[in-house]
Coordinates of all heavy atoms in Angstrom, one line a residue:
M1 N 0.8 -1.2 0.0 CA 0.0 0.0 0.0 C 0.9 1.2 0.0 O 1.8 1.4 0.8 CB -0.9 0.0 1.2 CG -1.6 1.3 1.5 SD -2.6 1.3 2.9 CE -4.2 1.2 2.2
E2 N 0.6 2.2 -0.9 CA 1.4 3.4 -1.0 C 1.0 4.3 0.2 O -0.2 4.5 0.5 CB 1.1 4.1 -2.3 CG 2.0 5.3 -2.5 CD 1.8 6.0 -3.8 OE1 1.1 5.4 -4.6 OE2 2.3 7.1 -4.0
R3 N 2.0 4.8 0.8 CA 1.8 5.7 2.0 C 1.9 7.2 1.4 O 3.0 7.6 0.9 CB 2.9 5.5 3.1 CG 2.9 4.1 3.6 CD 1.6 3.7 4.2 NE 1.8 2.4 4.9 CZ 0.9 1.4 4.9 NH1 -0.1 1.5 4.1 NH2 1.1 0.3 5.5
N4 N 0.8 7.9 1.5 CA 0.8 9.3 1.0 C -0.2 10.1 1.8 O -0.7 9.6 2.8 CB 0.5 9.3 -0.6 CG -0.8 8.6 -0.9 OD1 -1.7 8.5 -0.1 ND2 -0.9 8.0 -2.1
I5 N -0.4 11.3 1.3 CA -1.3 12.2 2.1 C -2.7 11.6 2.2 O -3.4 11.7 3.2 CB -1.3 13.6 1.5 CG1 -1.8 14.6 2.5 CG2 -2.0 13.7 0.2 CD1 -0.9 14.9 3.6
E6 N -3.2 10.9 1.1 CA -4.5 10.3 1.2 C -4.6 9.2 2.2 O -5.6 9.0 2.9 CB -5.0 9.8 -0.2 CG -5.3 10.9 -1.2 CD -4.1 11.5 -1.9 OE1 -3.0 10.9 -1.8 OE2 -4.2 12.6 -2.4
W7 N -3.5 8.4 2.3 CA -3.4 7.3 3.3 C -3.5 7.9 4.7 O -4.2 7.4 5.5 CB -2.1 6.6 3.1 CG -1.7 5.7 4.2 CD1 -2.2 4.4 4.4 CD2 -0.8 6.0 5.3 NE1 -1.7 3.9 5.6 CE2 -0.8 4.9 6.1 CE3 -0.1 7.1 5.6 CZ2 0.0 4.8 7.3 CZ3 0.7 7.0 6.7 CH2 0.7 5.9 7.6
F8 N -2.8 9.0 4.9 CA -2.8 9.7 6.2 C -4.2 10.1 6.5 O -4.7 9.9 7.6 CB -1.8 10.9 6.2 CG -1.8 11.5 7.6 CD1 -0.9 11.1 8.6 CD2 -2.7 12.5 7.9 CE1 -0.9 11.7 9.8 CE2 -2.7 13.1 9.2 CZ -1.8 12.7 10.1
R9 N -4.9 10.8 5.6 CA -6.2 11.3 5.9 C -7.2 10.1 6.2 O -8.1 10.3 7.0 CB -6.7 12.1 4.7 CG -6.1 13.4 4.5 CD -6.8 14.2 3.4 NE -6.2 15.6 3.4 CZ -5.9 16.2 2.3 NH1 -6.1 15.7 1.1 NH2 -5.4 17.5 2.4
D10 N -7.0 9.0 5.5 CA -7.9 7.9 5.7 C -7.6 7.0 6.9 O -8.5 6.6 7.6 CB -7.9 7.0 4.4 CG -8.5 7.7 3.2 OD1 -9.2 8.7 3.3 OD2 -8.2 7.2 2.1
E11 N -6.3 6.8 7.1 CA -5.9 5.8 8.1 C -5.4 6.4 9.5 O -5.6 5.8 10.5 CB -4.8 4.9 7.6 CG -5.2 4.2 6.3 CD -6.2 3.1 6.5 OE1 -6.2 2.5 7.6 OE2 -7.0 2.9 5.6
I12 N -4.8 7.5 9.4 CA -4.2 8.1 10.6 C -5.0 9.2 11.3 O -5.3 9.2 12.5 CB -2.7 8.6 10.3 CG1 -1.9 7.5 9.7 CG2 -2.1 9.1 11.6 CD1 -1.7 6.3 10.5
A13 N -5.4 10.2 10.4 CA -6.2 11.3 11.0 C -7.3 10.9 11.9 O -7.5 11.5 12.9 CB -6.6 12.3 9.8
P14 N -8.1 9.9 11.5 CA -9.3 9.6 12.3 C -8.9 9.1 13.7 O -9.8 9.2 14.6 CB -10.0 8.4 11.5 CG -9.6 8.7 10.1 CD -8.2 9.2 10.2
V15 N -7.7 8.6 14.0 CA -7.4 8.2 15.3 C -6.7 9.3 16.1 O -6.4 9.1 17.3 CB -6.5 6.9 15.3 CG1 -7.2 5.8 14.6 CG2 -5.2 7.1 14.7
L16 N -6.4 10.4 15.5 CA -5.7 11.5 16.2 C -6.7 12.4 16.9 O -6.8 13.6 16.6 CB -4.8 12.3 15.2 CG -3.7 11.5 14.6 CD1 -2.9 12.4 13.7 CD2 -2.8 10.9 15.7
L17 N -7.4 11.8 17.9 CA -8.3 12.6 18.7 C -7.5 13.6 19.6 O -6.6 13.2 20.2 CB -9.2 11.7 19.5 CG -10.0 10.6 18.7 CD1 -10.7 9.7 19.6 CD2 -10.9 11.3 17.7
G18 N -8.0 14.8 19.6 CA -7.3 15.8 20.4 C -6.1 16.5 19.8 O -5.4 17.2 20.4
Y19 N -5.9 16.2 18.5 CA -4.8 16.8 17.8 C -5.3 17.8 16.8 O -6.3 17.7 16.2 CB -4.0 15.7 16.9 CG -3.1 14.8 17.7 CD1 -3.6 13.7 18.4 CD2 -1.7 15.1 17.7 CE1 -2.7 12.9 19.1 CE2 -0.8 14.3 18.4 CZ -1.3 13.2 19.1 OH -0.5 12.4 19.8
E20 N -4.5 18.9 16.7 CA -4.8 19.9 15.6 C -4.0 19.3 14.4 O -2.8 19.0 14.5 CB -4.2 21.2 16.0 CG -4.4 22.2 14.9 CD -3.7 23.6 15.2 OE1 -2.9 23.6 16.1 OE2 -4.0 24.5 14.5
I21 N -4.6 19.3 13.2 CA -4.0 18.8 12.0 C -4.1 19.9 11.0 O -5.1 20.4 10.7 CB -4.7 17.5 11.5 CG1 -4.6 16.4 12.6 CG2 -4.1 17.0 10.2 CD1 -5.5 15.2 12.3
I22 N -2.9 20.1 10.4 CA -2.8 21.1 9.3 C -2.2 20.5 8.1 O -1.1 19.9 8.2 CB -1.9 22.3 9.8 CG1 -2.5 23.0 11.0 CG2 -1.7 23.3 8.6 CD1 -1.6 23.9 11.7
Y23 N -2.8 20.6 6.9 CA -2.4 20.1 5.7 C -1.8 21.2 4.8 O -2.4 22.3 4.7 CB -3.5 19.4 4.9 CG -4.0 18.2 5.6 CD1 -5.2 18.3 6.4 CD2 -3.4 17.0 5.5 CE1 -5.7 17.2 7.0 CE2 -3.9 15.8 6.2 CZ -5.1 16.0 6.9 OH -5.6 14.9 7.5
S24 N -0.6 21.0 4.3 CA 0.0 22.0 3.4 C 0.5 21.4 2.1 O 0.8 20.2 2.1 CB 1.2 22.7 4.1 OG 0.8 23.3 5.3
Y25 N 0.5 22.2 1.1 CA 1.0 21.7 -0.2 C 2.0 22.7 -0.8 O 1.7 23.9 -0.8 CB -0.1 21.4 -1.2 CG 0.4 21.0 -2.6 CD1 0.9 19.7 -2.8 CD2 0.5 21.9 -3.6 CE1 1.4 19.3 -4.0 CE2 1.0 21.5 -4.9 CZ 1.4 20.2 -5.1 OH 1.9 19.9 -6.3
F26 N 3.2 22.3 -1.2 CA 4.2 23.1 -1.8 C 4.5 22.5 -3.2 O 4.9 21.4 -3.2 CB 5.4 23.3 -0.9 CG 5.1 23.7 0.5 CD1 4.8 22.8 1.5 CD2 4.9 25.1 0.7 CE1 4.5 23.2 2.8 CE2 4.6 25.5 2.0 CZ 4.4 24.6 3.0
E27 N 4.4 23.3 -4.2 CA 4.6 22.8 -5.6 C 6.0 22.4 -5.9 O 6.3 21.4 -6.5 CB 4.0 23.7 -6.6 CG 4.0 23.1 -8.0 CD 3.1 23.9 -8.9 OE1 2.1 24.4 -8.5 OE2 3.5 24.0 -10.1
K28 N 7.0 23.3 -5.4 CA 8.4 23.1 -5.7 C 9.2 23.0 -4.5 O 9.3 23.9 -3.7 CB 8.9 24.2 -6.6 CG 8.2 24.2 -8.0 CD 8.8 25.3 -8.8 CE 8.0 25.3 -10.2 NZ 8.5 26.3 -11.1
G29 N 9.8 21.8 -4.2 CA 10.6 21.6 -3.1 C 11.9 20.9 -3.5 O 12.1 20.6 -4.7
D30 N 12.7 20.5 -2.5 CA 14.0 19.9 -2.8 C 13.8 18.5 -3.5 O 14.6 18.1 -4.3 CB 14.7 19.6 -1.5 CG 15.2 21.0 -0.8 OD1 15.2 22.0 -1.6 OD2 15.4 21.0 0.4
F31 N 12.7 17.8 -3.2 CA 12.5 16.5 -3.7 C 11.2 16.4 -4.5 O 10.4 15.5 -4.4 CB 12.5 15.4 -2.6 CG 13.8 15.5 -1.8 CD1 13.8 16.0 -0.5 CD2 15.0 15.1 -2.4 CE1 15.0 16.0 0.2 CE2 16.2 15.1 -1.6 CZ 16.2 15.6 -0.3
G32 N 10.9 17.5 -5.3 CA 9.6 17.5 -6.0 C 8.5 18.2 -5.2 O 8.8 19.0 -4.2
S33 N 7.3 18.0 -5.6 CA 6.2 18.7 -4.8 C 6.2 18.0 -3.4 O 6.7 16.9 -3.2 CB 4.9 18.4 -5.6 OG 4.6 17.0 -5.7
L34 N 5.5 18.8 -2.5 CA 5.5 18.3 -1.1 C 4.1 18.4 -0.6 O 3.5 19.5 -0.6 CB 6.4 19.2 -0.3 CG 6.3 19.0 1.3 CD1 6.7 17.6 1.7 CD2 7.2 20.0 2.0
N35 N 3.6 17.3 -0.1 CA 2.4 17.3 0.7 C 2.8 17.1 2.1 O 3.5 16.1 2.5 CB 1.4 16.1 0.3 CG 0.6 16.5 -0.9 OD1 -0.2 17.4 -0.8 ND2 0.8 15.8 -2.0
Q36 N 2.5 18.1 3.0 CA 3.0 18.0 4.4 C 1.8 18.0 5.3 O 0.8 18.7 5.1 CB 3.9 19.2 4.7 CG 4.4 19.2 6.1 CD 5.3 20.4 6.4 OE1 4.8 21.5 6.5 NE2 6.6 20.2 6.5
V37 N 1.8 17.2 6.3 CA 0.8 17.2 7.4 C 1.5 17.5 8.7 O 2.5 16.9 9.0 CB 0.0 15.9 7.4 CG1 0.8 14.7 7.6 CG2 -1.1 16.0 8.4
E38 N 1.0 18.5 9.4 CA 1.5 18.8 10.8 C 0.4 18.4 11.7 O -0.8 18.5 11.5 CB 1.7 20.3 10.9 CG 2.8 20.9 10.0 CD 2.9 22.4 10.2 OE1 3.1 22.8 11.4 OE2 2.8 23.1 9.2
F39 N 0.8 17.9 12.9 CA -0.1 17.4 13.9 C 0.4 17.8 15.3 O 1.6 17.7 15.5 CB -0.4 15.9 13.8 CG 0.9 15.1 13.7 CD1 1.6 14.7 14.8 CD2 1.4 14.8 12.4 CE1 2.8 14.0 14.6 CE2 2.6 14.1 12.3 CZ 3.3 13.6 13.4
N40 N -0.5 18.3 16.1 CA 0.0 18.8 17.4 C -1.1 18.5 18.5 O -2.3 18.7 18.2 CB 0.2 20.3 17.4 CG 1.5 20.6 16.8 OD1 2.6 20.3 17.3 ND2 1.5 21.2 15.6
S41 N -0.6 18.1 19.6 CA -1.4 17.9 20.8 C -0.6 18.5 22.0 O 0.5 18.9 21.8 CB -1.7 16.5 21.1 OG -0.6 15.8 21.6
P42 N -1.2 18.6 23.2 CA -0.4 19.1 24.3 C 0.8 18.3 24.6 O 1.8 18.8 25.1 CB -1.4 19.1 25.5 CG -2.7 19.2 24.8 CD -2.6 18.5 23.5
K43 N 0.8 17.0 24.3 CA 1.9 16.1 24.6 C 2.9 15.9 23.4 O 4.1 16.0 23.6 CB 1.4 14.7 25.0 CG 2.5 13.8 25.4 CD 2.0 12.4 25.8 CE 3.1 11.5 26.1 NZ 2.7 10.2 26.5
L44 N 2.3 15.6 22.2 CA 3.2 15.3 21.0 C 2.9 16.2 19.8 O 1.7 16.7 19.7 CB 2.9 13.8 20.6 CG 3.2 12.7 21.6 CD1 2.7 11.4 21.0 CD2 4.7 12.7 21.9
G45 N 3.9 16.4 19.0 CA 3.7 17.2 17.8 C 4.7 16.8 16.8 O 5.8 16.2 17.1
G46 N 4.4 17.1 15.5 CA 5.4 16.8 14.5 C 4.8 17.0 13.1 O 3.8 17.6 12.9
N47 N 5.5 16.4 12.1 CA 5.0 16.5 10.8 C 5.5 15.3 10.0 O 6.5 14.6 10.3 CB 5.4 17.8 10.1 CG 6.9 18.0 10.0 OD1 7.5 18.4 11.0 ND2 7.5 17.6 8.9
I48 N 4.8 15.0 8.9 CA 5.2 14.1 7.9 C 5.2 14.8 6.6 O 4.3 15.5 6.2 CB 4.2 12.9 7.8 CG1 3.9 12.2 9.1 CG2 4.6 11.9 6.7 CD1 2.8 11.2 9.1
D49 N 6.4 14.6 5.9 CA 6.6 15.2 4.5 C 6.5 14.1 3.5 O 7.3 13.2 3.5 CB 7.9 15.9 4.4 CG 8.0 17.1 5.4 OD1 7.0 17.6 5.7 OD2 9.2 17.4 5.7
F50 N 5.5 14.1 2.7 CA 5.3 13.2 1.6 C 5.8 13.9 0.3 O 5.1 14.7 -0.3 CB 3.9 12.7 1.4 CG 3.3 12.0 2.6 CD1 2.5 12.6 3.5 CD2 3.5 10.6 2.7 CE1 1.9 11.9 4.6 CE2 3.0 9.9 3.8 CZ 2.2 10.6 4.7
W51 N 7.0 13.6 -0.1 CA 7.6 14.2 -1.3 C 7.2 13.6 -2.6 O 7.0 12.4 -2.7 CB 9.1 14.2 -1.2 CG 9.6 15.0 -0.1 CD1 10.0 14.6 1.2 CD2 9.9 16.4 -0.1 NE1 10.4 15.6 1.9 CE2 10.4 16.8 1.2 CE3 9.8 17.4 -1.0 CZ2 10.7 18.1 1.5 CZ3 10.1 18.7 -0.7 CH2 10.6 19.0 0.6
G52 N 7.0 14.4 -3.6 CA 6.6 13.9 -5.0 C 7.6 12.9 -5.6 O 7.2 12.1 -6.3
L53 N 8.9 13.0 -5.2 CA 9.9 12.0 -5.7 C 10.0 10.8 -4.8 O 11.0 10.1 -4.9 CB 11.2 12.7 -6.0 CG 11.2 13.8 -7.0 CD1 12.5 14.5 -7.2 CD2 10.7 13.3 -8.4
N54 N 9.0 10.6 -4.0 CA 8.9 9.4 -3.1 C 9.9 9.4 -1.9 O 10.2 8.4 -1.4 CB 9.0 8.1 -3.9 CG 8.3 7.0 -3.2 OD1 7.4 7.2 -2.4 ND2 8.8 5.8 -3.5
W55 N 10.4 10.6 -1.5 CA 11.1 10.7 -0.3 C 10.1 10.9 0.8 O 9.0 11.3 0.6 CB 12.0 12.0 -0.3 CG 13.2 11.8 -1.2 CD1 13.2 11.8 -2.5 CD2 14.6 11.7 -0.8 NE1 14.5 11.6 -3.0 CE2 15.4 11.6 -1.9 CE3 15.2 11.7 0.5 CZ2 16.8 11.5 -1.9 CZ3 16.6 11.6 0.5 CH2 17.4 11.5 -0.7
L56 N 10.5 10.5 2.1 CA 9.6 10.6 3.2 C 10.3 11.2 4.4 O 11.4 10.7 4.8 CB 9.0 9.2 3.6 CG 8.1 9.2 4.8 CD1 6.8 9.8 4.5 CD2 7.9 7.8 5.3
G57 N 9.8 12.3 4.9 CA 10.3 12.8 6.1 C 9.3 12.7 7.3 O 8.2 13.0 7.1
V58 N 9.8 12.3 8.5 CA 9.0 12.2 9.6 C 9.7 12.8 10.8 O 10.9 12.5 11.1 CB 8.6 10.7 9.9 CG1 7.8 10.6 11.2 CG2 8.0 10.1 8.8
L59 N 9.0 13.7 11.5 CA 9.5 14.3 12.8 C 8.4 14.2 13.8 O 7.2 14.5 13.6 CB 9.8 15.8 12.5 CG 10.1 16.6 13.8 CD1 11.4 16.2 14.4 CD2 10.2 18.1 13.5
L60 N 8.8 13.7 15.0 CA 7.9 13.6 16.1 C 8.6 14.1 17.4 O 9.8 13.7 17.7 CB 7.4 12.2 16.4 CG 6.5 12.0 17.5 CD1 5.1 12.7 17.2 CD2 6.2 10.5 17.7
W61 N 8.0 15.0 18.1 CA 8.6 15.7 19.3 C 7.6 15.5 20.5 O 6.4 15.6 20.3 CB 8.7 17.2 19.0 CG 9.3 17.9 20.1 CD1 8.7 18.6 21.1 CD2 10.7 18.1 20.4 NE1 9.6 19.2 21.9 CE2 10.9 18.8 21.5 CE3 11.9 17.6 19.7 CZ2 12.1 19.2 22.1 CZ3 13.1 17.9 20.3 CH2 13.2 18.7 21.4
N62 N 8.2 15.1 21.6 CA 7.5 15.0 22.9 C 7.7 16.3 23.6 O 8.8 16.6 24.1 CB 8.0 13.8 23.7 CG 7.2 13.6 24.9 OD1 6.9 14.5 25.7 ND2 6.9 12.3 25.2
Y63 N 6.6 17.1 23.7 CA 6.6 18.4 24.4 C 6.8 18.3 25.9 O 7.5 19.1 26.5 CB 5.4 19.2 24.1 CG 5.2 19.6 22.7 CD1 4.0 19.2 22.0 CD2 6.1 20.3 22.0 CE1 3.8 19.5 20.7 CE2 5.9 20.7 20.7 CZ 4.8 20.2 20.0 OH 4.6 20.6 18.7
E64 N 6.2 17.2 26.5 CA 6.4 17.1 28.0 C 7.8 16.7 28.4 O 8.3 17.2 29.4 CB 5.4 16.0 28.4 CG 3.9 16.4 28.3 CD 3.0 15.3 28.7 OE1 3.4 14.1 28.8 OE2 1.8 15.6 28.9
E65 N 8.4 15.8 27.6 CA 9.8 15.4 28.0 C 10.8 16.3 27.2 O 12.0 16.1 27.4 CB 10.0 13.9 27.6 CG 9.1 13.0 28.4 CD 9.2 11.6 28.0 OE1 10.1 11.2 27.2 OE2 8.3 10.8 28.4
K66 N 10.4 17.2 26.4 CA 11.3 18.0 25.6 C 12.4 17.2 24.9 O 13.6 17.5 25.0 CB 11.9 19.1 26.5 CG 10.9 20.0 27.1 CD 11.6 21.1 27.9 CE 10.5 22.1 28.3 NZ 10.2 22.2 29.7
K67 N 11.9 16.2 24.1 CA 12.8 15.4 23.4 C 12.3 14.9 22.1 O 11.0 14.7 21.9 CB 13.4 14.2 24.2 CG 12.4 13.1 24.4 CD 13.1 12.0 25.1 CE 12.2 10.7 25.1 NZ 12.9 9.6 25.7
E68 N 13.2 14.7 21.1 CA 12.8 14.2 19.8 C 12.7 12.7 19.9 O 13.5 12.0 20.4 CB 14.0 14.6 18.9 CG 13.8 14.5 17.4 CD 15.0 15.0 16.7 OE1 16.0 14.3 16.6 OE2 14.8 16.2 16.2
L69 N 11.5 12.2 19.3 CA 11.3 10.8 19.3 C 11.6 10.2 17.9 O 12.1 9.1 17.9 CB 9.8 10.5 19.6 CG 9.4 11.0 21.0 CD1 7.9 10.8 21.2 CD2 10.2 10.4 22.1
I70 N 11.3 10.9 16.9 CA 11.6 10.5 15.5 C 12.1 11.7 14.7 O 11.5 12.7 14.8 CB 10.4 9.8 14.8 CG1 9.9 8.6 15.6 CG2 10.7 9.4 13.4 CD1 8.6 8.1 15.0
N71 N 13.1 11.5 13.9 CA 13.5 12.6 13.0 C 14.3 11.9 11.8 O 15.5 11.6 12.0 CB 14.4 13.6 13.6 CG 14.7 14.8 12.7 OD1 14.2 14.8 11.6 ND2 15.5 15.8 13.2
V72 N 13.6 11.6 10.8 CA 14.2 10.8 9.6 C 13.8 11.5 8.3 O 12.7 12.0 8.2 CB 13.9 9.3 9.6 CG1 14.4 8.6 10.9 CG2 12.4 9.1 9.5
L73 N 14.7 11.3 7.3 CA 14.4 11.6 5.9 C 14.8 10.4 5.2 O 16.0 10.0 5.2 CB 15.2 12.8 5.5 CG 15.0 13.2 4.0 CD1 13.6 13.5 3.7 CD2 15.9 14.4 3.6
L74 N 13.9 9.7 4.6 CA 14.1 8.4 3.9 C 14.1 8.5 2.4 O 13.2 9.2 1.9 CB 13.1 7.4 4.4 CG 13.2 7.1 5.9 CD1 12.0 6.3 6.4 CD2 14.5 6.4 6.3
E75 N 15.0 7.9 1.8 CA 15.1 7.9 0.3 C 14.0 7.0 -0.3 O 13.5 6.1 0.3 CB 16.5 7.4 -0.1 CG 17.6 8.3 0.4 CD 19.0 7.9 -0.1 OE1 19.1 7.2 -1.1 OE2 19.9 8.2 0.6
P76 N 13.8 7.2 -1.6 CA 12.7 6.4 -2.3 C 12.9 4.9 -2.2 O 11.9 4.2 -2.1 CB 12.8 6.9 -3.7 CG 13.4 8.3 -3.7 CD 14.3 8.3 -2.5
N77 N 14.1 4.4 -2.1 CA 14.3 3.0 -2.1 C 14.3 2.4 -0.7 O 14.5 1.2 -0.6 CB 15.6 2.6 -2.8 CG 16.8 3.2 -2.1 OD1 16.7 4.1 -1.2 ND2 18.0 2.7 -2.4
E78 N 14.0 3.1 0.3 CA 14.0 2.6 1.7 C 12.6 2.3 2.2 O 12.2 2.7 3.2 CB 14.7 3.7 2.6 CG 16.1 4.0 2.3 CD 16.7 5.0 3.3 OE1 16.5 6.2 3.1 OE2 17.4 4.5 4.3
E79 N 12.0 1.4 1.4 CA 10.6 1.1 1.7 C 10.4 0.4 3.1 O 9.4 0.7 3.8 CB 10.0 0.2 0.6 CG 9.8 0.9 -0.7 CD 8.9 2.1 -0.6 OE1 8.0 2.2 0.1 OE2 9.2 3.1 -1.4
L80 N 11.3 -0.5 3.4 CA 11.1 -1.2 4.8 C 11.3 -0.2 5.9 O 10.6 -0.2 6.9 CB 12.1 -2.3 4.9 CG 11.8 -3.5 4.0 CD1 12.9 -4.6 4.2 CD2 10.5 -4.1 4.3
S81 N 12.2 0.7 5.8 CA 12.4 1.8 6.8 C 11.2 2.7 6.9 O 10.9 3.2 7.9 CB 13.7 2.6 6.5 OG 14.9 1.8 6.6
K82 N 10.6 3.0 5.7 CA 9.4 3.8 5.7 C 8.3 3.2 6.5 O 7.6 3.8 7.3 CB 9.0 4.1 4.3 CG 9.9 5.1 3.5 CD 9.4 5.2 2.1 CE 10.3 6.0 1.2 NZ 9.8 6.2 -0.1
E83 N 8.1 1.9 6.2 CA 7.0 1.2 6.9 C 7.3 1.1 8.4 O 6.4 1.3 9.2 CB 6.9 -0.3 6.3 CG 6.4 -0.3 4.9 CD 4.9 0.1 4.8 OE1 4.1 -0.1 5.7 OE2 4.6 0.8 3.8
K84 N 8.5 0.9 8.8 CA 8.8 0.8 10.2 C 8.7 2.2 10.9 O 8.1 2.3 12.0 CB 10.3 0.3 10.4 CG 10.6 0.2 11.9 CD 12.0 -0.3 12.2 CE 12.3 -0.5 13.7 NZ 11.6 0.4 14.6
T85 N 9.1 3.2 10.2 CA 9.0 4.6 10.8 C 7.6 5.0 11.0 O 7.2 5.5 12.0 CB 9.7 5.6 9.9 OG1 11.1 5.3 9.8 CG2 9.6 7.0 10.4
L86 N 6.7 4.7 10.0 CA 5.3 5.1 10.1 C 4.6 4.2 11.1 O 3.7 4.7 11.8 CB 4.6 5.0 8.7 CG 5.1 6.0 7.7 CD1 4.6 5.7 6.3 CD2 4.7 7.4 8.2
S87 N 5.0 2.9 11.2 CA 4.5 2.1 12.3 C 4.9 2.6 13.7 O 4.0 2.7 14.6 CB 5.0 0.6 12.1 OG 4.5 -0.2 13.2
D88 N 6.1 3.0 13.8 CA 6.6 3.5 15.1 C 5.9 4.8 15.4 O 5.4 5.1 16.6 CB 8.1 3.8 15.1 CG 9.0 2.6 15.0 OD1 8.4 1.5 15.3 OD2 10.2 2.7 14.7
L89 N 5.7 5.7 14.4 CA 4.9 6.9 14.6 C 3.5 6.7 15.1 O 3.1 7.3 16.1 CB 4.9 7.7 13.3 CG 4.1 9.0 13.3 CD1 4.7 10.0 14.2 CD2 3.9 9.5 11.9
L90 N 2.9 5.8 14.5 CA 1.5 5.4 14.8 C 1.4 4.9 16.3 O 0.5 5.3 17.0 CB 0.9 4.4 13.8 CG -0.6 4.2 13.9 CD1 -1.4 5.5 13.9 CD2 -1.1 3.3 12.9
N91 N 2.4 4.1 16.6 CA 2.4 3.5 18.0 C 2.6 4.7 19.0 O 1.9 4.7 20.1 CB 3.5 2.5 18.1 CG 3.2 1.2 17.4 OD1 2.0 0.9 17.2 ND2 4.2 0.5 17.0
F92 N 3.5 5.6 18.8 CA 3.6 6.7 19.7 C 2.3 7.6 19.8 O 1.9 8.0 20.8 CB 4.8 7.7 19.2 CG 6.1 7.2 19.6 CD1 7.1 7.0 18.6 CD2 6.5 7.1 20.9 CE1 8.4 6.7 18.9 CE2 7.8 6.7 21.2 CZ 8.7 6.5 20.2
L93 N 1.7 7.8 18.6 CA 0.5 8.7 18.6 C -0.7 8.0 19.3 O -1.5 8.7 19.9 CB 0.2 9.0 17.2 CG 1.2 9.9 16.4 CD1 0.8 10.0 14.9 CD2 1.3 11.2 17.1
K94 N -0.8 6.7 19.2 CA -1.9 6.0 19.9 C -1.7 5.7 21.4 O -2.6 5.4 22.1 CB -2.1 4.6 19.2 CG -2.7 4.7 17.8 CD -3.0 3.4 17.3 CE -3.8 3.4 16.0 NZ -4.0 2.0 15.5
A95 N -0.4 5.9 21.8 CA -0.1 5.5 23.2 C -0.7 6.5 24.2 O -1.0 7.6 23.9 CB 1.4 5.5 23.4

């Protein structure tokens, strides 16, 4: 299954109760067009960058502990790492 902004809207956004979610689109970026989703709650915040050239960026910050939980930029060929990162992200967000 391709992980993209539509996947986020369908699979992740519905479980993010108590989060503010902001969707942005930028036509020209470092790795093609960019669909970005930002999400914030009192405890956790971050963003996912879905790049047009199939790069994936994920940042997750714990506001309470003042520490970074995830900060990766994955290349198009790193499909297993993408799946693991998104799974880890979802686990943090659901906890």
Side-chain angles (χ1 to χ4, degrees):
M1 170 182 253
E2 185 177 352
R3 306 297 191 224
N4 56 29
I5 197 76
E6 288 81 19
W7 167 82
F8 182 90
R9 284 185 175 140
D10 294 343
E11 302 293 325
I12 306 300
V15 301
L16 295 183
L17 303 176
Y19 282 80
E20 176 187 18
I21 300 173
I22 300 168
Y23 297 96
S24 301
Y25 176 77
F26 305 94
E27 192 167 320
K28 295 183 181 181
D30 293 339
F31 305 107
S33 60
L34 170 62
N35 276 297
Q36 182 181 69
V37 59
E38 296 177 56
F39 46 87
N40 283 291
S41 75
K43 181 179 179 182
L44 298 172
N47 61 275
I48 305 175
D49 295 335
F50 297 100
W51 293 95
L53 296 178
N54 205 24
W55 288 68
L56 177 72
V58 179
L59 172 66
L60 182 64
W61 183 263
N62 184 313
Y63 296 121
E64 292 176 346
E65 298 176 12
K66 297 183 173 116
K67 74 175 191 178
E68 195 173 74
L69 301 174
I70 301 173
N71 187 2
V72 296
L73 177 61
L74 300 168
E75 296 182 28
N77 63 345
E78 295 182 279
E79 292 302 325
L80 290 177
S81 294
K82 290 178 186 179
E83 290 296 322
K84 180 178 183 334
T85 298
L86 292 171
S87 176
D88 290 347
L89 174 68
L90 190 52
N91 288 334
F92 279 122
L93 295 174
K94 285 183 173 181

